[in-house]
Amino acid sequence: MMSERKHNFNAGPAALPLPVLQQVQRHLVDHRGLGLSVMEMSHRSPEFGEICDHAKRSIGALYDLPDTHEVMFLQGGASLQFAMVPLNMGTGAYINTGTWSSKAIKEARTIGEAHEAWTDKENGFRAVPAAGQSFDVPKDARYLHYTSNNTIYGTQWHHTPPTTGPLVCDMSSDFLSRPIDVSRYDLIYAGAQKNAGPSGVTVLLIRKTISRAFEGDPKTPLILRYPTQAEKGSLYNTPNSFGIYVLGLVAEWVRGQGSLADMAERNAARAGRLYAAIDEDPRFSGHAEPSSRSHMNVTFRMESPEAEAAFLETAGASGFIGLKGHRSVGGLRASIYNAVPDAALDALISLLRAS
Ligand SMILES: *Cc1c(COP(=O)(O)O)cnc(C)c1O
């Protein structure tokens, strides 16, 4: 018997769609009559090749992937991309909207130069740049890097940065949450464990001019060059085969819900309902400036740490998990990713109103 599932608001690893977990469970021991688990298959087998291609096709279909780009699966998390981007693509200009952007800049500076084109540090990272705001992108910067959704501070870009040059984006916590014009980007990367799948797999939407021709620092190890993996279809070395399989199932589940535009509409409505519950009650206050509010990670506070501790205790006793804010921001945070059921969101809103 399965115990009752929690109302899971974890930031990552985070909720996965129940139908996906059930599908994994059904096929776990005997994958589609092959007599073995996906975990036990050779990553060189045609069966796994089909699983990997299926995951690429599903993600490509969701994003209407242009022929100029390809899907790649890597390991090392989004954090490894903080290093691979400058190693492969050289100097960039970075928009600093919080912890993850800061880490990307710090890592890039171990490799070469990285310009900080904008920061909201003084304001406690409550906002992303306003629509229409331009940046200082120095001439030697090959790309502009930004973080589309700031998992920790709960802010999100609701527009594309107004630059004509190449864009690189860390989309770890809003990948598969809304449509994106991929043609504007040289590289999109996302650790799967926030909104797209299990931990241990990073998905990239990459322009083929970058994935197929290495123009970075010649001292770069082969394993850290995009073409090494791209030329082998992300199977240069043993991939996270099980992670890719589950990511593919999640992408298929998203397709079953409709388009990414449908997903975006649903996410905006869900976030709107939660922010309304926070705004209507004087005991709660949102962290992010309203125009920068994330539709994925909702950050808020109560009047005192004691009130928050009491709230978390009540929540914990009522089957809620993951509502504590990140240690660097404090307060409370509800991550309302695609896979969080409406019923869990409704329960959270009722809890806010009742406590
Ligand atoms: C979680 C997260 C990361 C780090 O991901 P890892 O997979 O742990 O390396 C980077 N960027 C963003 C936006 C994140 O949410």
Side-chain angles (χ1 to χ4, degrees), residues 172 246 304 327-328:
S172 292
V246 180
S304 67
R327 59 189 182 280
S328 62

Side-chain angles (χ1 to χ4, degrees), residues 167-234:
L167 287 169
V168 174
C169 187
D170 175 359
M171 270 185 210
S172 292
S173 49
D174 60 2
F175 193 72
L176 299 186
S177 77
R178 57 182 178 178
I180 292 285
D181 176 8
V182 176
S183 69
R184 277 292 294 114
Y185 295 81
D186 272 12
L187 173 59
I188 289 166
Y189 62 90
Q193 75 274 18
K194 307 297 172 42
N195 194 41
S199 63
V201 53
T202 311
V203 55
L204 277 70
L205 308 181
I206 187 167
R207 192 181 294 284
K208 289 176 185 166
T209 50
I210 291 155
S211 59
R212 297 298 171 137
F214 183 74
E215 288 174 8
D217 180 344
K219 287 212 180 73
T220 305
L222 295 175
I223 186 81
L224 298 179
R225 302 176 183 207
Y226 293 125
T228 304
Q229 285 287 0
E231 282 157 15
K232 304 286 184 202
S234 298

Side-chain angles (χ1 to χ4, degrees), residues 35-116:
L36 74 174
S37 156
V38 173
M39 281 182 278
E40 302 167 295
M41 277 177 195
S42 166
H43 62 294
R44 308 275 174 220
S45 65
E47 290 81 9
F48 182 73
E50 177 44 36
I51 288 171
C52 190
D53 286 345
H54 167 269
K56 289 179 190 170
R57 280 197 306 274
S58 299
I59 292 167
L62 279 166
Y63 279 101
D64 220 346
L65 199 75
D67 286 344
T68 47
H69 287 66
E70 64 185 316
V71 179
M72 286 178 70
F73 301 124
L74 300 179
Q75 301 185 61
S79 301
L80 183 62
Q81 296 313 303
F82 298 164
M84 284 180 76
V85 166
L87 284 169
N88 284 263
M89 299 175 66
T91 297
Y94 287 71
I95 296 177
N96 190 351
T97 50
T99 311
W100 297 116
S101 319
S102 303
K103 279 196 159 180
I105 294 169
K106 190 173 173 195
E107 188 70 90
R109 286 185 176 155
T110 67
I111 291 156
E113 224 183 327
H115 304 288
E116 189 178 75

Side-chain angles (χ1 to χ4, degrees), residues 36 73 124 132 139 177 230 262 281 340:
L36 74 174
F73 301 124
K139 285 226 157 14
S177 77
D262 296 327
D281 188 332
V340 172

Side-chain angles (χ1 to χ4, degrees), residues 308-322:
E308 287 164 354
F311 173 79
L312 287 171
E313 188 157 327
T314 310
S318 319
F320 290 81
I321 191 168

